[in-house]
Amino acid sequence: MITTLPGLYLVTVGILRPLTLLLGADVVCSVTGFRLINILFQSGTFYVLKAIYGMIHSKPTAEKGIAKVALMTAVTLTFFPLLHFFTFLYYTDPGSTFFVLLMYLFHLQGNKTLAAFMGGMSILFRQTNVVWVVFVAGLMAADIVQEWMNNHPHVKKKDKNQQDSLTDIQTIQSCFKLVVADFKYAPQNLVKLIGLICVQCIHYIIIIGLFGVFVYLNEGIVVGDRSQHEACLNFPQVFYFVSFTVLFLSPYIIRPSRIVDFILFSVKNIAITVGFLAVSYALVNKYTHVHLYLISDNRHYTFYVWSKIYERFSFMRYALILPYYYGIFSLLQSIRYKNIFWKLVFIICLCVSTIPQKLLEFRYFILPYLIYRLNVKYVSWREIALEMMIYMAINVFTIYMFIAKPFQWGENVELQRFMW
């Protein structure tokens, strides 16, 4: 029934085995001993979060201020409810998150070898983490393409300094024109560009290639029981992620000024609005999948979200399309300073990591949420304080429900507990 690779167990043996020589197996090899492994991972994740935020947002003119914000952001995200909850259980999430974020940090530092190695380690915790190896490879490729555009001979000298000020659409148009020009008149330049991307991303390509070999030999990505882990096209998963992120980041996302901007944008771009609503309706109507676990396992909060909202009110899945639209608009606004290539790589990886999943499982959103959150700019201490309050309130509720409200399934004598 275990469907992930044994990364967590290998690390556990590596850490606890030497301790058994000192303290004895009875003391070390206990439930508490195993759960302490994830507390170690979460402690490491705190430092990684702080370092990533500092690198993404650091400015020489405001280094001291950014250091404080990075520290408080890391403290806050350490209490992110899903990650915090599973820190105290023997699950793969803390280790998986730690190695993916460490890979991201090494990528930002320019250490491709260690980044790729950490990406490989993350896959041993959860196979779908290969998507985030592709993510950092995509960011590397995006940087190379941006540099190629800035130094392209067809870009006039006076326009070179304006490349960074182009809108997202203008950047895509510029890139397309340069590719077409090179394809017609200097195809060797495109060959060089592709070659440079391959060389610079070779460390990640090796990891992705080895994973491809595993999938081929294993005849699929899943190990163990495959019957409940079949891929499908579940496009509404992206909408569920948007709702999830808007909820946890509401101090940044739900703002009066942002709502006004959304209304003005929707009216001004009525064709985009109508197109989004129509496409979203079609996707929700045709591609909403309901996993057996979602409607049968009442230990998980997703069971109640689905049964109390989506299943009870048949119109709700369509009524929420407009809030989804606002959520997407607002989430993009919060990272509008990122270039279009970063956004595209993130969106593609988000879709690949969520859409094939038939099961609505909030744990699948941990990594894209944290990566997105780390790239949201600091607004004020008020937002960080409100974010922490939301996290802590949810943590108090979920941990209380887990500890104080156990229940039984029929004649089954084993206690069941509420959990994410």
Side-chain angles (χ1 to χ4, degrees):
M1 298 300 291
I2 296 176
T3 56
T4 54
L5 295 172
L8 176 60
Y9 317 123
L10 294 173
V11 171
T12 300
V13 171
I15 294 174
L16 296 187
R17 178 63 178 167
L19 293 178
T20 60
L21 302 176
L22 297 173
L23 304 174
D26 293 340
V27 175
V28 175
C29 295
S30 62
V31 173
T32 301
F34 293 153
R35 290 176 175 174
L36 282 171
I37 297 297
N38 278 345
I39 292 178
L40 288 176
F41 277 131
Q42 185 71 336
S43 301
T45 298
F46 163 75
Y47 289 100
V48 175
L49 288 167
K50 179 176 177 292
I52 291 174
Y53 191 91
M55 288 206 66
I56 292 173
H57 301 282
S58 63
K59 293 180 181 177
T61 55
E63 196 170 332
K64 271 192 175 181
I66 288 297
K68 290 179 183 177
V69 175
L71 175 62
M72 289 310 301
T73 300
V75 170
T76 302
L77 290 180
T78 302
F79 287 99
F80 175 54
L82 276 91
L83 197 56
H84 184 71
F85 184 89
F86 289 107
T87 297
F88 307 105
L89 299 176
Y90 195 57
Y91 271 61
T92 57
D93 299 275
S96 167
T97 301
F98 171 75
F99 282 112
V100 169
L101 292 178
L102 195 55
M103 170 184 66
Y104 189 24
L105 175 61
F106 283 131
H107 160 74
L108 293 172
Q109 292 175 342
N111 194 328
K112 292 173 283 189
T113 303
L114 279 178
F117 176 76
M118 295 307 166
M121 287 294 295
S122 74
I123 293 170
L124 291 177
F125 280 72
R126 185 163 291 162
Q127 295 93 301
T128 51
N129 284 342
V130 70
V131 173
W132 302 108
V133 179
V134 174
F135 172 72
V136 293
L139 295 185
M140 175 69 70
D143 290 340
I144 294 169
V145 170
Q146 187 66 65
E147 185 69 19
W148 168 77
M149 290 176 62
N150 292 342
N151 297 305
H152 198 282
H154 286 185
V155 177
K156 296 176 181 178
K157 185 175 286 188
K158 66 177 182 179
D159 295 332
K160 288 184 186 292
N161 295 329
Q162 298 176 1
Q163 287 290 313
D164 292 337
S165 62
L166 296 179
T167 65
D168 290 345
I169 293 177
Q170 288 172 335
T171 301
I172 293 296
Q173 290 174 337
S174 175
C175 182
F176 180 75
K177 288 177 183 177
L178 295 176
V179 168
V180 170
D182 274 359
F183 185 78
K184 283 183 178 179
Y185 306 111
Q188 68 276 9
N189 289 345
L190 288 181
V191 173
K192 287 180 182 178
L193 176 63
I194 295 170
L196 180 60
I197 291 173
C198 290
V199 169
Q200 293 297 317
C201 296
I202 190 64
H203 304 78
Y204 307 119
I205 292 171
I206 290 171
I207 297 296
I208 295 165
L210 290 173
F211 183 78
V213 172
F214 156 74
V215 171
Y216 174 77
L217 296 176
N218 188 55
E219 298 181 352
I221 192 174
V222 179
V223 295
D225 179 26
R226 304 185 184 198
S227 61
Q228 300 299 331
H229 292 81
E230 296 175 354
C232 66
L233 289 176
N234 195 359
F235 287 104
Q237 286 277 24
V238 175
F239 298 146
Y240 306 149
F241 170 78
V242 168
S243 304
F244 174 90
T245 306
V246 168
L247 170 65
F248 285 107
L249 272 186
S250 53
Y252 297 85
I253 304 303
I254 305 176
R255 307 164 66 86
S257 60
R258 188 70 57 82
I259 294 172
V260 171
D261 290 343
F262 169 70
I263 294 171
L264 294 175
F265 173 86
S266 300
V267 173
K268 185 178 179 181
N269 300 276
I270 193 68
I272 294 175
T273 301
V274 172
F276 176 87
L277 297 178
V279 171
S280 298
Y281 178 88
L283 293 177
V284 169
N285 187 56
K286 188 173 181 180
Y287 292 100
T288 296
H289 295 274
V290 183
H291 196 286
L292 176 63
Y293 290 172
L294 182 60
I295 57 176
S296 61
D297 193 341
N298 64 343
R299 294 172 301 173
H300 300 287
Y301 294 114
T302 48
F303 171 88
Y304 300 96
V305 170
W306 192 264
S307 62
K308 302 299 182 184
I309 299 176
Y310 289 94
E311 197 172 64
R312 175 174 290 185
F313 308 104
S314 58
F315 66 88
M316 190 58 72
R317 63 183 65 180
Y318 304 108
L320 288 172
I321 290 175
L322 189 58
Y324 294 154
Y325 187 32
Y326 169 77
I328 291 171
F329 171 84
S330 191
L331 291 177
L332 289 175
Q333 284 294 103
S334 291
I335 55 168
R336 61 186 179 276
Y337 76 97
K338 306 293 289 189
N339 70 49
I340 183 60
F341 298 121
W342 192 98
K343 294 174 194 170
L344 286 176
V345 171
F346 177 77
I347 291 169
I348 290 169
C349 289
L350 169 65
C351 291
V352 172
S353 68
T354 57
I355 289 174
Q357 307 282 359
K358 188 175 184 180
L359 178 63
L360 171 56
E361 169 63 87
F362 291 146
R363 289 187 299 140
Y364 299 157
F365 299 156
I366 291 175
L367 282 167
Y369 176 86
L370 289 176
I371 290 172
Y372 174 85
R373 172 63 185 88
L374 286 167
N375 284 277
V376 173
K377 277 188 173 182
Y378 166 76
V379 179
S380 73
W381 291 111
R382 173 181 172 274
E383 279 71 22
I384 293 179
L386 289 173
E387 184 183 6
M388 174 67 91
M389 290 170 63
I390 291 170
Y391 290 176
M392 294 304 292
I394 294 173
N395 284 334
V396 168
F397 172 79
T398 53
I399 292 174
Y400 169 78
M401 292 296 290
F402 181 85
I403 294 172
K405 298 292 182 179
F407 61 96
Q408 288 180 287
W409 279 341
E411 297 179 357
N412 191 332
V413 295
E414 292 185 358
L415 287 178
Q416 309 300 323
R417 297 183 184 275
F418 292 108
M419 60 193 303
W420 286 106

